[in-house]
Amino acid sequence: MFFVIIRIVFWGIAFIISFLLIRKSRLIHKRRWSIIAFVFAIILTTISALIPIENALITFASPESAYHYNNSGNVKLIVDGEKTDFVVGAKGDADVYLIIPKSGDGWKLGMGLNTKRVFQTISNGIIIYVYQYKNTNDYYITVLDTNGGAIDITDNHNSEFKYLEKINSTLDKTFYNYYAYINNFDNQYALTVNGNTIKIPN
């Protein structure tokens, strides 16, 4: 995770320099000023972790490389959107969702704060989430049948659904998680799962 390492190293060096300057200065209460400098270094490290300044300098060659810059684990699936890509990563046994913005001939860093869950519901054991990137028109849907097994899934926007499967040996079931980019998501959007239609308001 270069994203975090770079910030820790940068502000760590900044703290060391300020600490040495304080030691050599004529300031009174040098210990107090050293503590203040350390606290500021921690605060600035935290704040800088929320601001991807790399986006002004770097364009990544793939959504995978943009994901790995500030996330650990493997990339399991990528759903292609219009202005973004939806990346499904794995961190241990947990799935990590991140929407990564496109930029001309490449990709920029995506931040978790910019991936907003705007809708969620459970219907007959079907868990549905809809995610949005910032305030854009790029929406993505995830669908999981908690009963296990593959499902027949379509929507009224002719979206292309991709899926990942996970085997649970304890329950002796295979669970399928479906993902799709929703084009022109509106109040008329409806999902059909195994013949049952579920309306999803925008």
Side-chain angles (χ1 to χ4, degrees):
M1 289 177 53
F2 294 108
F3 186 84
V4 175
I5 293 172
I6 287 173
R7 281 152 177 78
I8 292 175
V9 171
F10 178 83
W11 291 113
I13 292 172
F15 166 71
I16 291 172
I17 293 172
S18 63
F19 176 77
L20 294 174
L21 290 174
I22 291 169
R23 288 286 300 271
K24 294 180 179 180
S25 71
R26 297 180 180 179
L27 287 172
I28 303 174
H29 306 302
K30 293 182 180 181
R31 187 169 183 272
R32 180 188 299 174
W33 283 106
S34 296
I35 293 173
I36 292 173
F38 179 75
V39 171
F40 264 97
I42 295 296
I43 292 172
L44 292 171
T45 300
T46 303
I47 293 174
S48 64
L50 303 174
I51 305 171
I53 58 174
E54 288 91 340
N55 280 344
L57 308 170
I58 304 172
T59 298
F60 295 88
S62 68
E64 291 92 343
S65 59
Y67 177 88
H68 286 305
Y69 187 83
N70 63 345
N71 291 275
S72 59
N74 299 321
V75 172
K76 299 166 63 177
L77 182 75
I78 295 175
V79 179
D80 186 48
E82 182 179 352
K83 296 180 179 179
T84 61
D85 282 340
F86 185 86
V87 178
V88 182
K91 191 174 183 180
D93 293 330
D95 288 339
V96 178
Y97 299 155
L98 184 65
I99 300 178
I100 296 179
K102 298 178 181 178
S103 177
D105 57 350
W107 289 260
K108 295 295 184 178
L109 288 179
M111 303 298 293
L113 292 174
N114 296 330
T115 299
K116 302 190 300 183
R117 184 189 295 174
V118 296
F119 178 83
Q120 62 183 43
T121 190
I122 301 177
S123 177
N124 298 320
I126 306 294
I127 301 177
I128 302 168
Y129 295 123
V130 177
Y131 296 89
Q132 178 188 20
Y133 180 72
K134 290 186 175 181
N135 293 317
T136 69
N137 289 322
D138 270 20
Y139 292 85
Y140 298 87
I141 189 169
T142 72
V143 183
L144 170 66
D145 185 356
T146 59
N147 300 307
I151 58 178
D152 181 21
I153 182 169
T154 58
D155 66 9
N156 60 347
H157 286 191
N158 296 318
S159 301
E160 177 187 356
F161 284 87
K162 297 182 178 182
Y163 69 88
L164 290 170
E165 58 182 79
K166 185 178 293 185
I167 299 173
N168 189 312
S169 55
T170 303
L171 298 175
D172 193 26
K173 288 184 178 181
T174 301
F175 295 91
Y176 292 79
N177 220 330
Y178 294 82
Y179 306 88
Y181 169 71
I182 304 176
N183 186 28
N184 296 323
F185 182 53
D186 54 28
N187 289 325
Q188 303 303 314
Y189 183 81
L191 187 73
T192 301
V193 179
N194 293 333
N196 298 316
T197 299
I198 305 170
K199 290 188 176 180
I200 301 178
N202 184 350

